[in-house]
Amino acid sequence: MTQPASVVPPRHVAIIMDGNGRWANARGLPRTAGHKQGVEALRGAVRTASELGIEYLTIYSFSAENWSRPRAEVVFLLDLLRRFILQDVAELHRANIRIKVIGCREGLESDIVALLEHSEKLTRDNTGLTLIVAFNYGSRQEIARAARSIAADVRAGLLDPEEITPELIASRLDTVGIPDPDLLIRTSGEQRISNYLLWQCAYTEFVFVAEHWPDFTRESFEQAIAEYRRRERRFGGLAAQTA
Ligand code: IPE
Ligand code: IPE
Ligand code: MG
């Protein structure tokens, strides 16, 4: 008999919120309507994660590659982020949620950087759910930034190449101090990782759901967690009953 791998809720859930555009197209609406509705689904997911006692929720809000979309869509997505922070940060703060932003801030409009920094600073000491917003995020770029910082330390004589371990590399990533995701959920039926948390997902369980992101409900979230609980995590070892 296979034992369920985990009876505890996942500590860290990462989500790829995908399918906003297709959700809108299916309704004869512009893609932007899907993004707007996606924000509602995000609010619900944050509430659910908090209530279920999940400690870390990482959401992919804008990838380093999403700049290649039509300019009008990019502008809309940036505005949506601005509005989300302006409208929701006070409430997230009241709910004891700590906000952290990962991704590259270089080259971003200065008001956006200021909003991101403000939300992190305001909620820094909160002790509830940590909401990690991956914005202008690409995992390869993140790893390259870490490699650059390590190389600079080696060149300056601060670090010996022998000291470059997986732990050292992890400590230079944007996710320093955050445990690796236990569960990654991607909506909309796509089964790929799209440059998200490549290093961090070495042993993460993946759950792909068919619904588009705006249709992702509390029930969908709970079903994904139930699926995660049926998985057996081995981390390269052996199943518990055969060990
Ligand atoms: C996810 O939905 C939101 C972002 C990538 C910002 P999409 O915009 O990718 O929607 P689809 O995948 O085209 O349907
Ligand atoms: C990943 O979705 C990025 C976000 C959800 C923000 P995409 O829609 O950009 O990914 P691909 O292009 O389908 O792989
Ligand atoms: Mg997509």
Side-chain angles (χ1 to χ4, degrees):
M1 270 264 296
T2 310
Q3 294 284 320
S6 177
V7 287
V8 289
R11 256 188 108 186
H12 182 175
V13 178
I15 304 187
I16 302 179
M17 311 183 291
D18 198 16
N20 291 349
R22 280 165 284 165
W23 180 92
N25 281 345
R27 285 161 181 75
L29 299 168
R31 291 178 56 84
T32 49
H35 295 315
K36 247 178 104 188
Q37 197 58 35
V39 175
E40 296 305 321
L42 169 61
R43 290 187 174 118
V46 171
R47 209 175 312 121
T48 301
S50 269
E51 287 170 11
L52 296 179
I54 289 164
E55 291 175 56
Y56 301 88
L57 178 69
T58 303
I59 51 145
Y60 210 175
S61 79
F62 191 88
S63 79
E65 287 76 31
N66 285 149
W67 296 104
S68 65
R69 295 191 178 194
R71 169 115 187 108
E73 182 165 342
V74 169
V75 168
F76 186 88
L77 287 167
L78 298 183
D79 271 344
L80 208 57
L81 176 81
R82 283 186 180 96
R83 260 180 290 152
F84 175 72
I85 293 178
L86 286 167
Q87 288 171 8
D88 286 48
V89 83
E91 200 182 321
L92 294 169
H93 184 41
R94 269 196 301 279
N96 196 24
I97 291 169
R98 181 166 66 125
I99 298 170
K100 192 176 158 43
V101 183
I102 60 172
C104 182
R105 296 190 196 183
E106 246 167 69
L108 293 178
E109 290 169 60
S110 58
D111 72 303
I112 291 194
V113 176
L115 280 171
L116 298 176
E117 284 174 355
H118 165 72
S119 63
E120 284 185 316
K121 211 167 145 209
L122 178 73
T123 62
R124 186 172 51 193
D125 297 323
N126 289 344
T127 55
L129 173 76
T130 299
L131 175 64
I132 301 145
V133 180
F135 177 74
N136 191 25
Y137 177 84
S139 197
R140 287 181 167 180
Q141 293 84 338
E142 177 192 33
I143 292 168
R145 281 198 302 278
R148 269 202 300 275
S149 104
I150 292 168
D153 280 2
V154 170
R155 189 170 57 185
L158 298 169
L159 199 64
D160 192 277
E162 301 299 315
E163 294 173 290
I164 303 172
T165 58
E167 291 73 25
L168 180 87
I169 294 172
S171 78
R172 304 286 175 114
L173 298 175
D174 297 353
T175 49
V176 55
I178 298 166
D180 288 341
D182 299 295
L183 166 63
L184 176 113
I185 302 169
R186 184 172 188 147
T187 58
S188 88
E190 307 296 353
Q191 303 192 357
R192 57 177 170 265
I193 194 160
S194 303
N195 203 15
Y196 194 42
L197 304 171
L198 302 178
W199 173 279
Q200 297 86 344
C201 282
Y203 276 102
T204 299
E205 296 294 331
F206 288 16
V207 173
F208 298 104
V209 307
E211 291 153 325
H212 293 314
W213 176 248
D215 288 329
F216 189 80
T217 60
R218 184 188 176 107
E219 202 190 345
S220 329
F221 205 156
E222 286 178 343
Q223 273 173 15
I225 291 173
E227 164 74 30
Y228 163 81
R229 283 182 159 145
R230 286 191 289 272
R231 302 277 176 87
E232 182 176 71
R233 303 184 75 187
R234 298 198 197 119
F235 300 98
L238 296 179
Q241 65 274 23
T242 53

